[in-house]
Amino acid sequence: MNSKVAVAGPDNLLDELQTTLAHGTVARRVETLRRVTDLFINGAVDYSDQQIELFDDVFQYLIQQIEGSAKALLSNRLAPLPDAPPRTVRALALDDLIEVAAPVLSQSERLDDDALIETARTKSQAHLMAISTRKVLSGAVTDVLVQRGDDEVVQNTVNNPGAEFSECGFTRLVNRAEGNDDLSTSVGLRSNIPRHLYLKLLAKASETVRARLEAANPLQAKEVPTAVRKATKLARSASAASEQIAIAHALVKSLHEDGRLNEQQVEAFAKAGKFDEANASIAALANVTVTIAENMMIETRTEGVMILAKVAGLSWSTVRAIINMRDDLSRMGPTDLKACQATYERLRPATAQQVLRFHRMQQAAAENPGSD
């Protein structure tokens, strides 16, 4: 079909549409939609951007009045087309009826991240599920799916090999995976999960999950027990309500309120191997929650400790005591203290504050997964 002939006389087409919508029966409206769709599909590969824009105008005019079943048919037919009218596709994606939205949400290459994010933030779980099946998902989109999605949506997103995740997304996933063996396994199998979050996942995981991860990665199986040992020695969130930890936190709170919590006390806690007291102390001095401090303290690398210490204004002597405590608790090889000291001395307080603000934002987002 000649594309110039196909789109010649747009005024006549719009006039016909107006007449059909004003006076036509349901059957005639559906037939008009079919004709316009056929007209577009038959010549789509030959149309210029200007011609596609014309069809976009026609479809936009038509779908304002057409019934849901007809819009669903249109969505199914336009979804696979790489040159589908973009504004029409976006309007279909944002339709409240999942029968209309699902085809384009799951397939259309015309939807950009902004459209997908808007849909994911405002529409139903069924809409989120459709998005989660796309061949490619950016970290910006999966951030919203993990934040707003129910368990089924999140599981489907994690199982999608074309999905990317930001560190914030992985943090939410690790928190959501606690007590969910299937999700824990799927998250643990993602090859690009940050190491410190993988350790946190293992610390909370069941024996079933650990066995699955070992079986899925036989070449890395020997590393899992070591990672578990290190994580379980340091990650205390699973037992945060225990009496021992509660007593430690109460002691530190009392010292802080009385003005008796200082660097010397932190160093004494660290040298005595009292992780909970040292962690709560550095959290108080750095003005962050105990949870943020704990997450940074149990990271595989020492950067988290140094960030907290720099914000708290601690000297290298105290930082060294904290790093030594970590090494003793994890029973891993000793940290290169000379390299750490050089890094700590170069680290500027302003930089440390900026990183810490990022950690605060991460925690706020992880603790409010349902908020927009």
Side-chain angles (χ1 to χ4, degrees):
M1 177 177 292
N2 188 301
S3 61
K4 293 181 179 179
V5 174
V7 295
D11 291 338
N12 292 336
L13 183 56
L14 287 174
D15 287 342
E16 180 183 343
L17 287 174
Q18 277 188 304
T19 301
T20 299
L21 294 174
H23 309 292
T25 63
V26 171
R28 187 176 176 187
R29 292 182 184 182
V30 173
E31 175 60 21
T32 301
L33 176 64
R34 185 193 64 77
R35 286 178 54 211
V36 175
T37 308
D38 286 345
L39 194 63
F40 178 78
I41 291 176
N42 289 338
V45 295
D46 299 321
Y47 292 146
S48 67
D49 289 344
Q50 184 177 4
Q51 290 169 327
I52 291 174
E53 186 176 351
L54 170 61
F55 272 103
D56 218 347
D57 290 337
V58 172
F59 280 123
Q60 285 282 295
Y61 185 85
L62 185 59
I63 64 177
Q64 290 177 9
Q65 304 284 341
I66 210 71
E67 291 74 13
S69 60
K71 285 194 288 185
L73 178 61
L74 176 64
S75 182
N76 273 288
R77 299 190 69 188
L78 293 183
L81 303 180
D83 296 320
R87 288 182 290 117
T88 300
V89 170
R90 185 185 182 97
L92 294 170
L94 287 166
D95 198 284
D96 288 337
L97 288 176
I98 189 58
E99 295 83 358
V100 175
V104 292
L105 286 177
S106 60
Q107 300 178 58
S108 181
E109 298 175 11
R110 278 297 208 179
L111 289 175
D112 58 18
D113 277 4
D114 287 343
L116 293 171
I117 289 170
E118 181 181 354
T119 305
R121 287 193 180 280
T122 60
K123 299 302 178 180
S124 72
Q125 292 299 314
H127 287 71
L128 272 64
M129 177 59 76
I131 295 173
S132 74
T133 66
R134 293 177 67 86
K135 290 182 179 179
V136 177
L137 289 170
S138 71
V141 175
T142 59
D143 274 352
V144 185
L145 295 179
V146 173
Q147 181 184 30
R148 285 201 68 231
D150 59 20
D151 289 346
E152 188 177 3
V153 168
V154 172
Q155 183 72 57
N156 204 60
T157 304
V158 175
N159 289 342
N160 186 339
E164 298 178 354
F165 296 92
S166 67
E167 182 160 346
C168 182
F170 270 121
T171 299
R172 288 197 184 104
L173 285 172
V174 170
N175 289 335
R176 290 193 64 157
E178 185 173 1
N180 184 331
D181 284 359
D182 289 339
L183 184 58
S184 294
T185 302
S186 297
V187 174
L189 289 175
R190 298 292 306 197
S191 60
N192 57 340
I193 181 173
R195 181 67 173 170
H196 66 280
L197 292 175
Y198 181 69
L199 289 177
K200 184 176 180 181
L201 178 74
L202 286 178
K204 299 180 178 182
S206 67
E207 291 297 333
T208 300
V209 171
R210 294 171 188 171
R212 288 177 183 175
L213 294 178
E214 290 186 44
N217 297 290
L219 296 179
Q220 300 177 4
K222 62 181 180 180
E223 298 181 7
V224 174
T226 300
V228 171
R229 183 174 67 247
K230 181 173 184 178
T232 53
K233 285 289 183 180
L234 292 177
R236 306 301 299 273
S237 56
S239 59
S242 71
E243 182 178 356
Q244 181 179 355
I245 296 177
I247 293 173
H249 290 179
L251 170 62
V252 172
K253 182 180 180 181
S254 176
L255 291 171
H256 187 52
E257 290 176 347
D258 292 345
R260 294 183 291 132
L261 183 62
N262 53 32
E263 180 172 356
Q264 290 71 32
Q265 187 65 68
V266 177
E267 186 171 1
F269 284 143
K271 287 182 176 180
K274 296 183 177 181
F275 176 84
D276 296 303
E277 288 84 349
N279 179 69
S281 297
I282 198 171
L285 294 176
N287 192 29
V288 296
T289 66
V290 172
T291 300
I292 288 179
E294 184 176 83
N295 288 339
M296 297 176 72
M297 288 275 279
I298 67 174
E299 290 179 357
T300 306
R301 298 180 298 177
T302 57
E303 280 83 349
V305 172
M306 290 191 282
I307 292 294
L308 288 167
K310 183 64 71 169
V311 172
L314 303 182
S315 68
W316 168 248
S317 173
T318 302
V319 178
R320 181 177 58 200
I322 295 171
I323 293 174
N324 286 335
M325 175 190 67
R326 279 168 34 106
D327 289 346
D328 290 341
L329 289 173
S330 65
R331 297 182 182 177
M332 301 292 284
T335 298
D336 186 344
L337 292 174
K338 186 175 181 180
C340 285
Q341 182 176 7
T343 300
Y344 188 68
E345 291 174 351
R346 289 195 305 268
L347 180 62
R348 297 190 306 169
T351 302
Q353 285 281 9
Q354 186 175 9
V355 174
L356 205 54
R357 280 196 295 271
F358 173 73
H359 281 275
R360 289 191 184 100
M361 291 172 60
Q362 277 190 314
Q363 186 193 34
E367 289 178 348
N368 297 279
S371 62
D372 290 341

